[in-house]
Amino acid sequence: MPHYGDLQTQIYGAGLSGVLPTLPVDFATLERRAQAALPPHILTYVQGGCGDEYTQDQNASAFRHWGMVPRMMVDATHRDLSIDLFGLKLPSPVFMAPIGVTGMMSQDQHGDIHAAQASATTGVPLTASTLSNDPLENVKAACRDTPAFFQLYTPRDKELAESLVGRAEAAGYKAIVVTLDTWVTGWRPRDLNTSNFPQLRGHVLQNYFSDPRFRAMLGGKAPEDDLRAAIGTWGATFGKVLTWSDMPWLKSITKLPIVLKGICHPDDARRAIDSGADGIYVSNHGGRQANGGIAAIDMLPAVAAAVKGAVPVLFDSGIRSGSDVVKAIALGADAVGIGRPYSYGLALGGAAGCAHVLRCILAEADLLMAVNGWPTLDAVRSAGASRTDR
């Protein structure tokens, strides 16, 4: 039975024939090489956080003060990383989190398609963003048989929101992930210092430009005929402020599971479930939307305890490695989202680069479980993680 950790045997074996990896297997080197490969206007948008980026930095560094204790004399020869999520049997708990400029991350500016292709080859689901350089239908088709989810930035125009959700359902996406914390953009100095906002230059807006309701809002004029007007219309409708009273409407417009992204407080998690949410997504948007907050991983345990297994708990923010994935599972996540690492893989190698990064993260997670005596994810959860405060 093959395991994700077999990747290291393949790498060492290839090295005996003089074949060395063309892409790095660690995040630090991956990030440095991506910095050299990306133009400044894309790099600052992807790397930048809110304010002085303290929360963004804490998201990643906070994993260091969570530790796990290995168990010996356990047969972990065979590991099972599979999960059940929204009725889907998935090979691992890892998924690709939505990133609004994924389309700009590959050299050909079709990063959304490349990410979908990486999903197809690895079995790691993609959460496709509303902000995309390719229509959501094309992105889903590139995922082939691997399930995918659609992330919704809810427009102020309800007909447009319903059109986007309807298209996602018709295209075969398996859940709608509603982002709650981005009805207005947080204060991002890296982008403000260079007046850099990709959407206002017409980037990653193809889901809008290809939408029949959005085109009707333009008075029947094609977006490419008056790009400035199309961008202005997008800006005027982006960012509906959602409240609990909107949940019945969200539930009414699709048969797909509704996942609420941005839940960080236990009370919000409980109210979300009471309001009909089918999944809780713990995230602080990677520290890009609000500064001065608590690291997302530190908020996960309390939210997971409040949920009590009633619905799946998804998590992202600060994941940089396979060990981070395992710690998130130990602290209550059912599925763990990867963000910046896979986007850097896209920058360095398109679909192949993205797939390489995902396989490396899965390999590290798998080998950690093997060495520490955790043959299943249930064993990881039973082991738990403890604060080390170091």
Side-chain angles (χ1 to χ4, degrees):
M1 178 181 175
H3 290 95
Y4 293 114
D6 294 343
L7 176 62
Q8 75 168 357
T9 303
Q10 297 167 14
I11 293 173
Y12 288 139
L16 296 176
S17 301
V19 179
L20 302 181
T22 57
L23 294 173
V25 302
D26 66 293
F27 179 76
T29 309
L30 179 71
E31 184 173 47
R32 284 197 299 271
R33 287 187 52 182
Q35 287 172 336
L38 289 167
H41 70 283
I42 298 178
L43 183 63
T44 57
Y45 192 87
V46 171
Q47 288 193 320
C50 188
D52 68 359
E53 302 181 354
Y54 175 81
T55 299
Q56 174 175 279
D57 294 341
Q58 285 294 298
N59 276 338
S61 63
F63 280 89
R64 297 179 181 179
H65 63 232
W66 289 100
M68 303 183 69
V69 180
R71 301 304 300 268
M72 297 296 103
M73 305 289 284
V74 177
D75 185 358
T77 305
H78 303 290
R79 278 90 60 201
D80 182 3
L81 276 70
S82 66
I83 65 168
D84 293 299
L85 186 67
F86 308 128
L88 304 167
K89 184 73 170 181
L90 301 176
S92 86
V94 170
F95 67 94
M96 281 184 272
I99 299 176
V101 290
T102 295
M104 301 175 71
M105 291 301 295
S106 65
Q107 299 302 315
D108 65 357
Q109 298 292 286
H110 290 285
D112 306 290
I113 298 297
H114 287 286
Q117 292 169 338
S119 174
T121 60
T122 63
V124 174
L126 170 68
T127 309
S129 176
T130 303
L131 297 172
S132 172
N133 268 353
D134 286 279
L136 62 91
E137 292 85 357
N138 295 3
V139 175
K140 176 61 187 71
C143 292
R144 299 197 306 230
D145 294 332
T146 301
F149 314 125
F150 180 72
Q151 176 268 338
L152 178 69
Y153 284 126
T154 310
R156 298 175 192 174
D157 184 89
K158 283 194 171 184
E159 288 185 52
L160 177 56
E162 292 169 7
S163 180
L164 289 167
V165 170
R167 287 170 60 193
E169 186 168 348
Y173 289 89
K174 299 301 184 182
I176 303 297
V177 177
V178 182
T179 295
L180 304 176
D181 61 0
T182 316
W183 58 272
V184 66
T185 304
W187 184 258
R188 302 175 187 172
R190 291 201 207 192
D191 291 324
L192 288 165
N193 285 336
T194 57
S195 189
N196 175 47
F197 199 78
Q199 294 91 313
L200 295 181
R201 301 188 187 317
H203 298 295
V204 299
L205 299 181
Q206 283 306 307
N207 278 329
Y208 300 91
F209 292 175
S210 61
D211 192 90
R213 168 57 185 168
F214 186 85
R215 295 174 80 93
M217 292 167 67
L218 299 178
K221 184 179 294 186
E224 55 270 20
D225 291 341
D226 191 344
L227 184 59
R228 182 181 293 272
I231 294 171
T233 301
W234 168 80
T237 193
F238 184 86
K240 175 177 171 57
V241 179
L242 291 169
T243 67
W244 296 115
S245 65
D246 289 305
M247 278 298 291
W249 166 66
L250 285 170
K251 294 285 290 183
S252 74
I253 65 176
T254 182
K255 296 178 181 178
L256 296 176
I258 296 291
V259 182
L260 297 184
K261 181 177 184 288
I263 299 291
C264 294
H265 195 289
D267 289 347
D268 286 347
R270 284 185 282 263
R271 186 159 186 180
I273 295 170
D274 291 342
S275 299
D278 301 289
I280 301 298
Y281 194 145
V282 179
S283 170
N284 61 14
H285 215 102
R288 289 174 53 75
Q289 276 295 89
N291 197 35
I294 300 170
I297 192 64
D298 290 342
M299 295 185 284
L300 173 60
V303 173
V307 172
K308 297 179 181 177
V311 298
V313 175
L314 287 68
F315 173 85
D316 77 19
S317 297
I319 298 289
R320 300 291 183 264
S321 66
S323 64
D324 291 345
V325 170
V326 175
K327 287 181 182 180
I329 295 293
L331 291 171
D334 294 295
V336 181
I338 311 299
R340 284 185 180 89
Y342 88 76
S343 69
Y344 292 154
L346 289 171
L348 296 180
C354 180
H356 168 80
V357 169
L358 296 172
R359 289 188 179 111
C360 288
I361 289 172
L362 285 167
E364 182 183 354
D366 179 41
L367 290 170
L368 177 63
M369 289 173 61
V371 172
N372 279 8
W374 307 319
T376 65
L377 297 179
D378 282 342
V380 171
R381 295 185 182 99
S382 294
S386 302
R387 285 289 296 250
T388 63
D389 292 318
R390 285 185 294 177

